[in-house]
Amino acid sequence: MPASPAGRLEVSFASLKGKRQEVVGLVVGQGPEFAGLAEELDQSCDGGLSRAAKTAQFEGKAKSIVDVLAPSGLKEKRVLLIGGGEVAKSSEDDWINCGGAAMGKLLGTKSASASLVVETGAEGELADHDIAAAMALGAFLRSYRFDKYKTKKDDDGDKGSKAKELTTLVIHCAEPKKAEKAYQRLQAIGDGVVLARDLVNEPANELGPEEFAKRAQELEKIGVEVEVLDQKELKKLKMGSLLAVSQGSSRPARVVVMSWNGGKKSEAPVALIGKGVVFDTGGISIKPAAGMEAMKGDMGGAAAVVGAMCAIAGRKAKANVVGLIGCVENMPSGDATRPGDIVKSMSGQTIEVLNTDAEGRLVLADVLWYAQERFKPKMLVDCATLTGAIMIALGKNYAGLFSNDDDLADSILEASKATGEKTWRMPLDKAFHKMIDSKNADVKNLGGRWGGACTAAAFIERFVKDKDTPWAHIDLAGTAMDAERNDINPSWGSGWGVRLLDQLVADKYEG
């Protein structure tokens, strides 16, 4: 696994009778009815936990929490009653979010370690060891922070000493070995999300195209084959569309090819393609200064692809998957592409560049074409922080989904439902293609004011070589960066898309 932030949460599993930490979270189903260890602890403090629950009107609803301080008769200094909701009906994602909510409260205790007791006793699709593993992933994701550039840490007010940070979580359940095995898969996914968050959060002065490529190369440690195409090779491949974006910057472009060969040798791979604009000024069509700093996250699609490759390789998926990212910086200079310029893409199609701030589609055009030429994949999915228009349409909780194939679209929507990474299908139509027809070239990179996300998707569709190849475009401009915080995401860079892509591969393409 590539480098993660300092203070990474260490998760372990123990039996219900194993030694507990001084801060304990007890998962209680809706009702609530204390049972097993929870009942024992309640009896040890003469019913103090059940009285606290009654006083707080705690009914065990999902993610509801009651904090009981210094319960009399218990060695535990603090006990959190954590609502598990209707246990029998809860999905893995429900438990992941419950684990995140619990971790949010545990982080506030200023303890270095804590225990979480999972003993639901309910009969549902998930056994307690699966629930324990899911809650561990939620806790891991919630514990994320990005403070590597801070030289001064916040203190707890006690003579300037540093506040304790929760770095150790012990999860108690009936079958800890099974929980640990179940968590191995989820930990790989968590590692991928964390990697994507790190990449999006990095400032652009630290993460240029070359640095991004080097970060992707670290995946070789977990068995991913990584190849980096430099400026000379990109020119030789005639990637004129991608290079038109990068030519205004002093930092040369890179295309990174990541291959995971976990399936049959004869089987065509799944291809994931990501837009990796490490910083987007808009080029000559420069953006307003206000908020431009957020454009360090304009590589959120590429981050999702790298994170997904980390997850897929980390859990040793039985599938052949290639991930390709186009890494560029879009800057204004004397060498920059001008509005009105016509460039030639790798496909041979000419593009009239009406607005240099519609640059992501120029990057994807060449990387998408290269992926098809070289790998002849069975399916294509591209991810990009492509348009502000998608946020106008869907807000910041949903990503826009465009696809030429109903079966692929349905599979993505199912993966979306399973992971909670929400997508909404948007239309592809001949009318949008008509809006990007150019009088001076084969296509123009701007379709006008209306339907901006749809005309952008139509542009990318022009570079799907074989129209029978299932292809999907995910516009995650609203979800990859500065998305709404939730139970498992406290970060500006959300790592959105990693779980979705991994779930898609697991559900549809693993043998």
Side-chain angles (χ1 to χ4, degrees):
M1 163 64 188
S4 293
R8 175 189 177 94
L9 181 69
E10 294 294 331
V11 178
S12 62
F13 298 88
S15 69
L16 291 169
K17 298 299 183 182
K19 183 180 179 181
R20 297 184 297 276
Q21 308 301 307
E22 292 183 340
V23 176
V24 176
L26 294 176
V27 179
V28 180
Q30 192 160 318
E33 294 180 2
F34 288 3
L37 183 56
E39 186 177 19
E40 289 180 26
L41 291 175
D42 188 37
Q43 291 174 353
S44 297
C45 62
D46 295 324
L49 300 182
S50 54
R51 286 196 300 274
K54 184 176 181 180
T55 301
Q57 296 182 324
F58 175 75
E59 297 178 347
K61 292 182 180 179
K63 300 186 292 186
S64 59
I65 298 174
V66 172
D67 190 353
V68 185
L69 297 173
S72 177
L74 292 181
K75 63 179 181 179
E76 289 78 5
K77 293 183 178 179
R78 202 163 184 169
V79 175
L80 305 180
L81 303 177
I82 300 163
E86 295 185 67
V87 176
K89 297 181 180 180
S90 298
S91 67
E92 181 179 75
D93 188 54
D94 290 331
W95 287 113
I96 290 171
N97 281 279
C98 186
M103 188 64 183
K105 191 68 175 180
L106 290 170
L107 287 169
T109 66
K110 303 299 182 183
S111 299
S113 61
S115 286
L116 192 60
V117 176
V118 178
E119 189 183 18
T120 65
E123 293 184 3
E125 292 186 10
L126 299 176
D128 274 0
H129 63 267
D130 293 316
I131 292 172
M135 292 193 73
L137 175 59
F140 176 77
L141 294 176
R142 180 60 179 267
S143 71
Y144 176 87
R145 67 181 188 277
F146 188 81
D147 59 4
K148 62 186 285 189
Y149 297 106
K150 285 189 173 183
T151 59
K152 296 179 181 179
K153 308 296 182 184
D154 296 332
D155 61 59
D156 61 4
D158 183 12
K159 297 182 180 179
S161 64
K162 289 184 179 179
K164 289 182 179 179
E165 296 172 344
L166 183 57
T167 57
T168 301
L169 181 65
V170 182
I171 301 184
H172 300 261
C173 60
E175 297 179 287
K177 289 185 178 179
K178 286 186 178 181
E180 186 172 0
K181 185 177 180 180
Y183 185 55
Q184 288 176 358
R185 173 183 69 89
L186 297 179
Q187 178 69 77
I189 297 168
D191 287 342
V193 174
V194 165
L195 174 57
R197 287 177 180 176
D198 283 352
L199 291 167
V200 174
N201 284 326
E202 283 284 356
N205 62 313
E206 294 290 334
L207 192 77
E210 291 178 279
E211 292 79 13
F212 199 158
K214 288 177 181 177
R215 293 290 291 273
Q217 282 182 301
E218 292 181 27
L219 293 180
E220 291 176 337
K221 298 174 184 176
I222 57 173
V224 179
E225 296 176 10
V226 183
E227 179 183 358
V228 178
L229 306 178
D230 63 18
Q231 188 96 350
K232 184 178 179 181
E233 291 168 298
L234 300 180
K235 288 181 179 178
K236 188 176 180 180
L237 288 167
K238 298 181 179 180
M239 288 195 182
S241 181
L242 180 147
L243 291 170
V245 179
S246 69
Q247 71 186 48
S249 173
S250 61
R251 306 162 93 180
R254 293 289 185 268
V255 169
V256 184
V257 181
M258 299 159 282
S259 301
W260 171 253
N261 302 307
K264 297 176 182 178
K265 288 185 178 180
S266 60
E267 191 172 3
V270 168
L272 310 176
I273 294 101
K275 168 191 169 183
V277 179
V278 296
F279 195 80
D280 181 22
T281 65
I284 297 299
S285 306
I286 197 162
K287 295 176 180 289
M292 192 191 287
E293 69 278 1
M295 288 300 98
K296 70 175 187 176
D298 206 20
M299 30 59 66
V305 169
V306 174
M309 294 301 296
C310 176
I312 288 163
R315 64 177 182 80
K316 295 180 170 38
K318 294 179 180 179
N320 295 330
V321 186
V322 292
L324 299 95
I325 57 173
C327 303
V328 300
E329 183 176 50
N330 188 22
M331 298 287 282
S333 75
D335 295 321
T337 296
R338 296 158 290 261
D341 284 0
I342 295 176
V343 301
K344 193 172 186 179
S345 69
M346 183 183 177
S347 71
Q349 296 178 76
T350 56
I351 304 166
E352 184 179 17
V353 181
L354 295 184
N355 189 318
T356 62
D357 193 24
E359 86 299 331
R361 64 202 71 181
L362 301 180
V363 174
L364 290 173
D366 278 346
V367 181
L368 193 72
W369 193 266
Y370 178 73
Q372 296 166 94
E373 287 272 284
R374 177 172 172 180
F375 295 104
K376 297 176 174 54
K378 65 172 67 175
M379 176 275 280
L380 297 156
V381 175
D382 74 76
C383 298
T385 52
L386 205 64
T387 67
I390 201 66
M391 290 188 280
I392 301 300
L394 299 179
K396 296 178 75 66
N397 284 309
Y398 281 83
L401 166 63
F402 301 81
S403 182
N404 66 354
D405 185 89
D406 290 343
D407 183 53
L408 175 57
D410 288 344
S411 296
I412 292 173
L413 290 169
E414 284 298 315
S416 172
K417 183 178 179 181
T419 60
E421 294 195 327
K422 298 177 181 178
T423 58
W424 191 267
R425 193 171 183 185
M426 301 288 287
L428 285 171
D429 192 88
K430 290 181 180 179
F432 299 123
H433 280 277
K434 187 175 181 180
M435 292 167 69
I436 56 172
D437 284 338
S438 169
K439 295 179 180 179
N440 303 309
D442 296 325
V443 64
K444 57 188 179 181
N445 78 328
L446 205 65
R449 181 178 180 184
W450 309 114
C454 298
T455 53
F459 180 95
I460 298 167
E461 190 179 20
R462 296 272 182 118
F463 298 88
V464 177
K465 185 177 181 181
D466 183 349
K467 303 309 177 186
D468 291 328
T469 301
W471 158 78
H473 160 61
I474 300 176
D475 191 338
L476 38 71
T479 57
M481 55 180 174
D482 197 25
E484 292 186 9
R485 311 306 191 262
N486 55 40
D487 291 317
I488 59 174
N489 175 39
S491 171
W492 185 85
S494 65
W496 195 100
V498 173
R499 294 176 61 209
L500 176 71
L501 295 174
D502 175 80
Q503 189 76 39
L504 174 65
V505 170
D507 288 347
K508 189 171 175 64
Y509 299 102
E510 284 198 56

